[in-house]
Amino acid sequence: MNTLNALLKVVKVSIVTLAFALFAMPTYAATIHVNSNDGSITDVDHTFNLSNPSLSDQEITLREAIQLANGSSSISALNPYECGLIRNDQTNVAASYGGLGCVLTGDTIGQGGDTIVFDFTTQTVIEPGNLYPPITKKNITVQGSNKVVLDGTGLGTSSNLYGLKFKDATGGMVTGMTFQDFSTGSSAGLIIENSNEVQVGNYDANNPTLHNHFLGNASGVEITTGSENTILINNFIGNNGSQADGNIVGVYISGSNNSHIGTAAYGNSIGGNNINIAFENANDNTVENNFIGVVPTVPTTAFYGNDIGVMIDINSDGNVITENMIGGSGDGGVTVGTGSVETVIRLNTFTNMGVGALPISLDTSANNNIDAPVITAATNNMVQGTAEGLPDGSFVDIYIARNANEAQQFVATVLVEDDEFIMLDTQLPEILQYITANSTYHSGTVEYSSEFTAFLNDTDGDGLTDVSENVWGTDENDIDSDDDGLVDGDEDTNSNGILNTGESDPTNPCDPADAPNHDVVCADEPDEPDEPEDFDDDDDGVLDVDDNCPVTANPLQEDCDDNFDSTCTVATCII
């Protein structure tokens, strides 16, 4: 009996295990092929006329595809022509039409995981006449293949318009789409609302030019109302990679957390917008590895129209801005608003900033009013200074810059100890005019960054910084180290410590690049009697004004009027 009971228990367990296994068996979703650019209000049509097929609807529109993917429209409602546009995601076999209507064998549709693709051979514009329903099911992918432009001009002038929206969804992706001219009020090309883990853009090694574009919208991408873990990669937002067609705001994140605008592997081009990225009541988001306000192919060139690179508005905490190239900002590279704390801004480069615009700007009480570090001395391989009030182990990031409000090239990170920092034995690369730095408070898990400080030490005021004087070996207390009549800073005109085209060597009075501007006579160049400050051109100890041969050495001033014993020619002899 005991053996029988034991056997029955094994059977029961096996049945339950099998039931769970059957329940857990994977089900596959459908691929829905859109073959119509009809965006009118009446773009839902399943008409079927058996006697006159030409009167049948033979298209699936984007609206119909979203309804099918959401499960709000049944596949059974499709006519035979439309049925052929639904395919098994795994086998690519089309759905079949029979007595039960349209049936997809081996796959589900409208249960999540469906993919919407477009059967367009060339780039095609769709102008919706009214808003598309939000995408609500999990893991819905919209794959535009760089051939679909959603244009908002047909929607009128209402506010809160959009091209596509994910709402209350989990997962999902949009690739290869262009969203343009959703420009009225608070409209956006793409809205992600109360959704988790939606990905905007993707990198396909087989098609590396596959991008989303967001052009001429009020907001390019809006991430809002409790959305979490949104990822943006490989998008062009406000530009096509070389020319700007800006949005008012490129990426707007409001009331949403843990978004990743760029990753360590793939970033975005976000430039040409009035505000490239904006946070409001948004926490713990990361902006990483993006071109912000600059042309990706020529990062020293800024897009027109950038006012602010990244704006972290009020009550947005714990956001990280790192390893981006930020430029062309007329009103600031990264601005942090009142009450926003624990914002980390590290390892970015800032270039082509507008006049008076700061690379980092902190409003009152932002980041606990952290002070910027102070650089007190620098050479070509040493930078030192103070960072008062920061705990030991905090960071100071050091850069070189062309202007005081920039940070063109990262040099090194050093740690704070006893309110001081020093960088030793790190050769500064091509030295520009300034050394700049910002600090980051670090204690346990708490971090937040300061504004920038700039260091320009030019003791003698010759336009060549002391750091560059140290590189050249010139005298930081002498404006004309080689006594050639040219100020050191006029010879190394960009003060970078390197001899560039069009410059002369401030340590070489006979540098050919100086002639005829210097005030010395050199053996390898012709005499120059008209040089204003050389009063003895032939260096024979007799001033030119008293010299009978001012360009030929004649220290004894031998007579030359008989044309026989002269030591200089008649043409140069003064009788």
Side-chain angles (χ1 to χ4, degrees):
M1 187 66 177
N2 291 335
T3 302
L4 179 60
N5 286 337
L7 181 60
L8 288 173
K9 286 182 180 180
V10 171
V11 171
K12 285 182 180 179
V13 170
S14 299
I15 291 173
V16 172
T17 303
L18 177 61
F20 275 110
L22 290 172
F23 181 76
M25 286 180 64
T27 57
Y28 301 108
T31 301
I32 305 168
H33 289 251
V34 174
N35 67 341
S36 170
N37 69 336
D38 183 5
S40 65
I41 296 175
T42 58
D43 60 352
V44 176
D45 184 8
H46 305 300
T47 301
F48 178 56
N49 190 315
L50 181 61
S51 61
N52 189 352
S54 65
L55 298 178
S56 299
D57 180 69
Q58 300 182 23
E59 300 174 336
I60 287 184
T61 64
L62 178 55
R63 190 180 309 277
E64 291 171 332
I66 294 173
Q67 291 175 341
L68 288 166
N70 280 338
S72 58
S73 178
S74 172
I75 187 175
S76 62
L78 302 182
N79 67 42
Y81 298 102
E82 297 170 323
C83 188
L85 294 169
I86 310 298
R87 293 184 175 272
N88 183 302
D89 196 29
Q90 296 298 304
T91 64
N92 200 34
V93 174
S96 58
Y97 191 86
L100 298 177
C102 187
V103 176
L104 185 64
T105 303
D107 270 0
T108 62
I109 185 170
Q111 301 301 310
D114 295 329
T115 300
I116 298 172
V117 299
F118 296 83
D119 291 349
F120 302 147
T121 57
T122 59
Q123 191 175 68
T124 301
V125 177
I126 301 175
E127 291 188 20
N130 59 343
L131 294 178
Y132 289 121
I135 295 170
T136 57
K137 291 292 185 180
K138 63 182 180 180
N139 298 326
I140 302 301
T141 296
V142 181
Q143 218 170 68
S145 300
N146 286 353
K147 295 178 181 177
V148 183
V149 178
L150 285 182
D151 189 303
T153 55
L155 289 172
T157 58
S158 298
S159 187
N160 302 311
L161 304 176
Y162 59 82
L164 288 177
K165 177 190 283 191
F166 286 82
K167 184 177 181 180
D168 304 325
T170 299
M173 183 186 299
V174 178
T175 66
M177 299 283 291
T178 294
F179 300 83
Q180 68 182 29
D181 295 332
F182 296 90
S183 57
T184 57
S186 301
S187 299
L190 175 65
I191 295 178
I192 300 167
E193 180 180 328
N194 197 41
S195 297
N196 298 323
E197 299 176 2
V198 174
Q199 182 169 317
V200 183
N202 191 29
Y203 179 77
D204 183 349
N206 296 319
N207 189 2
T209 62
L210 191 67
H211 307 288
N212 291 311
H213 292 82
F214 298 87
L215 308 171
N217 306 290
S219 292
V221 180
E222 181 178 334
I223 306 169
T224 185
T225 318
S227 293
E228 298 270 348
N229 300 307
T230 306
I231 296 176
L232 270 67
I233 59 172
N234 211 26
N235 300 283
F236 286 91
I237 302 174
N239 66 89
N240 64 4
S242 59
Q243 294 181 325
D245 185 0
N247 311 283
I248 296 175
V249 179
V251 180
Y252 177 52
I253 305 176
S254 173
S256 299
N257 307 320
N258 298 305
S259 297
H260 292 265
I261 313 304
T263 66
Y266 306 110
N268 304 274
S269 172
I270 308 173
N273 312 286
N274 291 357
I275 300 173
N276 285 311
I277 303 173
F279 295 90
E280 186 174 6
N281 297 305
N283 304 322
D284 302 317
N285 302 283
T286 300
V287 178
E288 180 179 15
N289 192 31
N290 302 284
F291 293 98
I292 301 175
V294 296
V295 179
T297 54
V298 191
T300 55
T301 301
F303 283 117
Y304 171 78
N306 304 290
D307 289 334
I308 297 176
V310 181
M311 183 178 74
I312 301 172
D313 210 350
I314 58 173
N315 302 322
S316 295
D317 301 335
N319 297 294
V320 177
I321 317 298
T322 184
E323 297 190 82
N324 303 282
M325 180 166 283
I326 302 172
S329 301
D331 294 330
V334 179
T335 65
V336 184
T338 300
S340 293
V341 298
E342 295 186 25
T343 304
V344 176
I345 310 166
R346 294 196 60 208
L347 310 180
N348 304 282
T349 59
F350 296 87
T351 184
N352 286 301
M353 303 297 292
V355 175
L358 299 177
I360 299 174
S361 176
L362 305 180
D363 285 350
T364 303
S365 78
N367 275 3
N368 299 322
N369 295 319
I370 180 176
D371 290 328
V374 176
I375 300 173
T376 57
T379 68
N380 63 314
N381 63 357
M382 184 277 294
V383 178
Q384 69 179 27
T386 60
E388 296 184 1
L390 296 189
D392 289 357
S394 294
F395 310 114
V396 174
D397 296 326
I398 298 170
Y399 303 78
I400 55 172
R402 183 176 54 242
N403 298 301
N405 64 339
E406 296 178 340
Q408 263 90 18
Q409 187 173 345
F410 171 73
V411 176
T413 296
V414 293
L415 300 181
V416 175
E417 184 176 355
D418 296 332
D419 289 342
E420 296 181 344
F421 65 90
I422 186 167
M423 182 197 79
L424 294 171
D425 301 324
T426 298
Q427 185 72 35
L428 292 177
E430 180 179 339
I431 296 172
L432 302 180
Q433 189 75 4
Y434 290 84
I435 297 173
T436 58
N438 80 314
S439 59
T440 297
Y441 178 104
H442 173 77
S443 179
T445 60
V446 178
E447 291 186 345
Y448 50 89
S449 300
S450 74
E451 295 182 345
F452 269 84
T453 188
F455 179 78
L456 173 64
N457 194 12
D458 182 7
T459 300
D460 55 14
D462 62 359
L464 195 60
T465 65
D466 289 357
V467 174
S468 294
E469 300 252 27
N470 184 272
V471 174
W472 279 114
T474 50
D475 187 346
E476 64 188 37
N477 296 296
D478 185 349
I479 65 171
D480 182 11
S481 298
D482 58 3
D483 296 322
D484 62 355
L486 297 176
V487 174
D488 292 345
D490 290 341
E491 298 199 67
D492 181 7
T493 55
N494 62 4
S495 188
N496 67 353
I498 294 174
L499 186 62
N500 300 119
T501 302
E503 296 180 334
S504 56
D505 184 345
T507 67
N508 179 7
C510 289
D511 187 339
D514 287 342
N517 300 312
H518 58 203
D519 296 334
V520 294
V521 175
C522 301
D524 58 349
E525 63 185 41
D527 293 329
E528 298 168 13
D530 58 342
E531 289 180 335
E533 296 185 15
D534 188 359
F535 303 112
D536 183 11
D537 283 309
D538 57 10
D539 296 321
D540 62 359
V542 181
L543 295 178
D544 292 341
V545 67
D546 299 321
D547 197 337
N548 68 342
C549 299
V551 294
T552 300
N554 184 19
L556 300 179
Q557 293 296 286
E558 297 173 355
D559 187 15
C560 61
D561 59 358
D562 58 10
N563 294 329
F564 294 103
D565 59 351
S566 175
T567 59
C568 55
T569 65
V570 174
T572 58
C573 180
I574 299 175
I575 301 174

